[in-house]
Amino acid sequence: MTTVYLNGEYKPLLEASINVLDRGFTFGDGVYEVIPIFNRTLFRFDEHMQRLENSLKAIFMENPYSSIKWRSIFEKLIDTVEQSEQSIYLQITRGVSERDHDISLADNPTIFAMSRPIVKQELSAGINAITHEDIRWQYCDIKAITLLPSVLLRHKAKQQGAKEAILIRDGYLTEGAASNVFICKDDEIFTPPKNNHVLPGITRDLLLEILASNNMSYSESTISEGALFNADEVWLTSSTWEIVPVIKLDNMPIGTGETGPLWQTINQLYQEFKSGYC
Ligand code: PDD
């Protein structure tokens, strides 16, 4: 039975419950994080904590706990799961109030965390993706729990036999429904710059760090829809997927239609970094 953390208590998942007037439930008024655990080690913990801090600040909330306290909660949860590869899901909502948009009515956040095994999907042969207009809002840099657009986008991808929707805003690539995007053209690597239309992915930033430390050049620059379709390779990054090659976009092959050589190199470097870290 999964153990979860809810408002100061550890309890079996089925015994954890919240008030139906929680603003997370009525308004989607909250933020979350997903932190991968490899070899029972919190991967890039500080970076995830910093993003949490930024998300909370952006929705006018304070972080209820110090990083030390968060770490101790996560470590307890990790110990309750058998598998060594897990991911922590943590969610903070503005708490319970009458159903009124006014945020000053809520002063006691709801704090929830759990750890789950990462179910490894075999994605190294590459996945299919679709393109779709970016139908989300203007604050995509906040890791908000309000994810209906992303849920619908993933569903549309699935309906078309694909695993991810790659989003286009005003003719330019932003990111995936739940991943960041990289493209390669003539051995050059590109990813869109961070702004309010893109979640600052921890895996994205780590990949850039790994490229820099291996003297591989890259550019954070706008990528047109045409450049996306013309790429030799397209990769998606996220904490749970790591780096996944896209081999077909809207049913058309990317490059040769197979996993590319640069992905092989980058993925190897990423796996080496992970082993060293954990
Ligand atoms: N999502 N962009 C979006 C919109 C995301 O939802 C995610 C991750 C990413 C990648 O960020 P990171 O590398 O920090 O995981 C980019 C998580 C995994 C989720 O919602 O489950």
Side-chain angles (χ1 to χ4, degrees):
M1 167 68 79
T2 309
T3 301
V4 302
Y5 175 91
L6 181 62
N7 297 329
E9 289 183 75
Y10 297 87
K11 42 175 84 173
L13 177 63
L14 292 179
E15 286 171 28
S17 58
I18 57 156
N19 189 312
V20 290
L21 286 181
D22 190 282
R23 295 175 68 97
F25 185 56
T26 51
F27 289 114
D29 186 358
V31 297
Y32 76 107
E33 269 299 323
V34 176
I35 311 176
I37 317 293
F38 300 118
N39 215 0
R40 302 202 169 270
T41 308
L42 288 151
F43 192 54
R44 305 289 274 186
F45 173 75
D46 292 341
E47 288 78 0
H48 282 277
M49 286 294 102
Q50 185 57 56
R51 187 171 64 187
L52 175 67
E53 195 74 40
N54 298 345
S55 295
L56 285 166
K57 190 162 176 236
I59 67 161
F60 309 100
M61 284 185 74
E62 280 182 16
N63 196 334
Y65 298 149
S66 67
S67 283
I68 294 172
K69 168 117 184 181
W70 280 120
R71 186 185 275 281
S72 82
I73 293 170
F74 299 155
E75 284 175 351
K76 276 206 186 95
L77 293 173
I78 293 167
D79 284 345
T80 66
V81 179
E82 207 178 295
Q83 291 87 338
S84 68
E85 298 222 336
Q86 309 172 22
S87 69
I88 290 282
Y89 176 79
L90 98 90
Q91 171 170 321
I92 305 171
T93 75
R94 210 180 298 276
V96 178
S97 77
E98 62 176 288
R99 195 192 169 282
D100 185 309
H101 290 66
D102 183 356
I103 65 173
S104 71
L105 297 172
D107 56 5
N108 192 18
T110 299
I111 306 160
F112 172 70
M114 66 180 171
S115 193
R116 294 178 301 175
I118 293 182
V119 182
K120 269 278 166 232
Q121 305 178 56
E122 190 35 63
L123 303 175
S124 58
I127 63 159
N128 296 349
I130 59 165
T131 54
H132 198 286
E133 184 195 346
D134 194 341
I135 54 170
R136 303 169 306 159
W137 65 338
Q138 299 284 346
Y139 293 139
C140 298
D141 49 337
I142 304 174
K143 205 158 170 60
I145 59 172
T146 330
L147 287 175
L148 185 57
S150 311
V151 167
L152 297 181
L153 288 161
R154 272 281 170 97
H155 180 64
K156 287 195 177 193
K158 194 173 170 189
Q159 282 180 320
Q160 294 174 54
K163 267 196 127 41
E164 181 61 304
I166 295 182
L167 308 179
I168 309 290
R169 199 183 282 251
D170 299 329
Y172 289 91
L173 163 64
T174 54
E175 60 180 335
S179 57
N180 292 110
V181 184
F182 286 73
I183 71 161
C184 313
K185 185 71 188 169
D186 300 330
D187 290 330
E188 296 244 11
I189 298 168
F190 304 88
T191 193
K194 289 197 255 187
N195 57 35
N196 62 314
H197 294 142
V198 174
L199 182 82
I202 307 298
T203 321
R204 168 200 185 275
D205 285 356
L206 173 56
L207 198 59
L208 296 183
E209 229 178 274
I210 292 174
L211 292 173
S213 62
N214 285 279
N215 296 319
M216 297 172 75
S217 66
Y218 63 81
S219 161
E220 292 176 86
S221 51
T222 51
I223 298 168
S224 69
E225 189 172 0
L228 170 68
F229 279 96
N230 249 317
D232 299 327
E233 296 186 31
V234 174
W235 319 322
L236 306 176
T237 61
S238 84
S239 291
T240 44
W241 276 6
E242 304 187 337
I243 313 167
V244 171
V246 176
I247 52 172
K248 265 191 182 171
L249 196 54
D250 293 341
N251 278 321
M252 286 177 284
I254 291 291
T256 60
E258 285 178 14
T259 302
L262 255 175
W263 175 81
Q264 309 272 6
T265 308
I266 300 304
N267 190 48
Q268 168 116 20
L269 291 171
Y270 182 84
Q271 296 304 330
E272 281 165 15
F273 180 92
K274 222 173 83 179
S275 310
Y277 188 101
C278 302

